[in-house]
Amino acid sequence: MNRRNVDGGQRPRWQRLAVLVFVAALAGTYLSACSAHPPVGLANCYQDLPLAVGALNAPKGSYKLHGVKLVSPELMAHLVKKRFPNNPSSNYKPPPAGSKVCAFGFTGEFPAGQVAMAPPHVSGKAAIVLTTTKRELLFSFVLAKLPVRFSRPFT
């Protein structure tokens, strides 16, 4: 069955081809925008994801990644000092100059001593793993719940 335009005639072949090319280009643009690229500014954090997951020491499927935030080293140092005023951990090391800190938020069941570089006697249902944009593990928190929303998920 042929499609007819408003005046009853058949559309020229070039018009049908032009519409098809337009739809294909539109679909290609949409699909490329939906691909799994990391959000702008978080590319280095994306590369640290395997490091953060490895710090959990947990089997795949036993935790859920909620996302990542880019944090300034000053804010990270303040958060660690606030949470652990006396001594955060013998493993704690401040971030190197010129780097940023990636904070990965996870939920699951994290027994005491399971999460690398977290204080050894703390257990909970949430973990925040801090890495530098230079691919170094800095520190981890194990908490009862995530204290903030991690709105930048990686897929």
Side-chain angles (χ1 to χ4, degrees), residues 11 13-15 51 60 75 80 86 89 103 112 117 119 123:
R11 290 186 184 181
R13 184 179 185 142
W14 68 269
Q15 265 187 339
L51 180 63
K60 190 173 184 163
L75 179 60
V80 171
N86 298 326
S89 169
M117 299 190 93
S123 63

Side-chain angles (χ1 to χ4, degrees), residues 36-111:
H37 293 291
V40 175
L42 296 175
N44 289 342
C45 291
Y46 184 73
Q47 295 171 356
D48 278 352
L49 183 57
L51 180 63
V53 167
L56 298 177
N57 294 317
K60 190 173 184 163
S62 67
Y63 59 86
K64 179 181 178 188
L65 172 65
H66 286 268
V68 66
K69 288 182 173 280
L70 196 58
V71 181
S72 73
E74 296 81 18
L75 179 60
M76 190 221 74
H78 173 73
L79 293 173
V80 171
K81 179 112 174 116
K82 182 178 177 183
R83 182 89 178 141
F84 304 100
N86 298 326
N87 182 15
S89 169
S90 59
N91 297 331
Y92 173 71
K93 58 183 177 182
S99 68
K100 295 275 188 180
V101 176
C102 304
F104 294 88
F106 299 93
T107 55
E109 293 289 332
F110 303 106

Side-chain angles (χ1 to χ4, degrees), residues 33 43 50 74 85 132 152 154:
E74 296 81 18
T132 69
R152 290 289 185 93
F154 288 137

